[in-house]
Amino acid sequence: MRQLPYFCRGEVVKGFGRGSRQLGVPTGEPAGPFNRHRRAAGGANFSEQVVESFPSDISTGIYYGWACVGNGDVHKMVLSIGWNPFYKNTKKSVETHIIHTFKEDFYGEILSIAIIGYIRPEKNFDSLEALISAIQEDIEEAKRQLDLPEHRKLKEDNFFHPPGGKIVNNH
Ligand code: ADP
Ligand code: MG
């Protein structure tokens, strides 16, 4: 297991839960736990480029950390790294649920994250209720952890606040 924190930046793309929100129902082929029920928690999917270059020594599971969209504010987040059933579990999905209410979706924007700590392994749930309550517990655990001074200070890292520069999409 890699030493954390791990910093990562890339484009937000449509995941396989697309349309789930409009329909208000779970989608048949979810990319990750956050996609299984859009109203429980949406997870911003990183582009394939980011997922492909994601270090293999960060094991699948649920993590907490900090996230920022474009040049916006830095918020608490929970992250799911999982095997993607859409690709018969040969590819990963990396999804960030930001603990903040956004006015709009942010597809195509650059998402910057700092992965700070591990919460739990991936799990399958017997029911939607069990999944939703697990995500709520993950969110509470993330909030608690990120309030600790040693974790809080990473919010101020230069990674999120480049001295004299804006974060741009350079590909
Ligand atoms: P998709 O299947 O396209 O990834 P999701 O149902 O998983 O769709 O929702 C994720 C999308 O929702 C993100 O790409 C983003 O545009 C939007 N979104 C809005 N608020 C949030 C949030 N707090 N955290 C993560 N994504 C959010
Ligand atoms: Mg998603």
Side-chain angles (χ1 to χ4, degrees):
M1 185 85 164
R2 174 182 287 251
Q3 283 289 109
L4 296 174
Y6 178 73
F7 295 91
C8 169
R9 179 147 42 227
E11 192 178 344
V12 174
V13 299
K14 291 251 174 194
F16 294 96
R18 81 191 92 179
S20 58
R21 188 170 35 160
Q22 288 91 318
L23 296 170
V25 294
T27 48
E29 301 222 66
F34 301 134
N35 273 349
R36 289 196 187 126
H37 197 272
R38 183 60 173 81
R39 284 171 301 182
N45 290 66
F46 270 124
S47 68
E48 201 166 320
Q49 197 185 13
V50 175
V51 177
E52 296 273 288
S53 61
F54 205 77
S56 57
D57 58 356
I58 297 183
S59 60
T60 59
I62 309 295
Y63 294 79
Y64 60 85
W66 296 104
C68 117
V69 177
N71 295 293
D73 294 338
V74 182
H75 300 287
K76 293 174 178 176
M77 63 79 161
V78 287
L79 179 81
S80 160
I81 304 166
W83 292 106
N84 192 332
F86 190 84
Y87 291 109
K88 300 192 162 54
N89 301 325
T90 58
K91 290 190 184 191
K92 278 181 182 167
S93 72
V94 180
E95 284 187 75
T96 306
H97 173 73
I98 304 175
I99 306 172
H100 177 75
T101 305
F102 289 87
K103 287 199 191 78
E104 290 176 348
D105 287 345
F106 44 84
Y107 294 111
E109 300 253 12
I110 297 301
L111 173 65
S112 302
I113 64 168
I115 306 173
I116 297 178
Y118 179 78
I119 301 180
R120 63 169 172 86
E122 279 192 289
K123 268 189 246 171
N124 286 316
F125 293 94
D126 298 336
S127 68
L128 196 56
E129 290 68 35
L131 167 66
I132 291 171
S133 73
I135 293 172
Q136 291 310 322
E137 280 171 29
D138 296 336
I139 289 171
E140 291 312 311
E141 176 66 7
K143 286 181 181 170
R144 271 194 300 274
Q145 289 290 339
L146 290 163
D147 278 337
L148 299 173
E150 70 262 38
H151 296 151
R152 184 168 278 283
K153 71 173 196 281
L154 284 155
K155 185 181 181 182
E156 313 303 332
D157 196 278
N158 278 345
F159 174 75
F160 292 118
H161 308 278
K166 285 200 167 189
I167 295 162
V168 290
N169 187 356
N170 55 7
H171 65 260

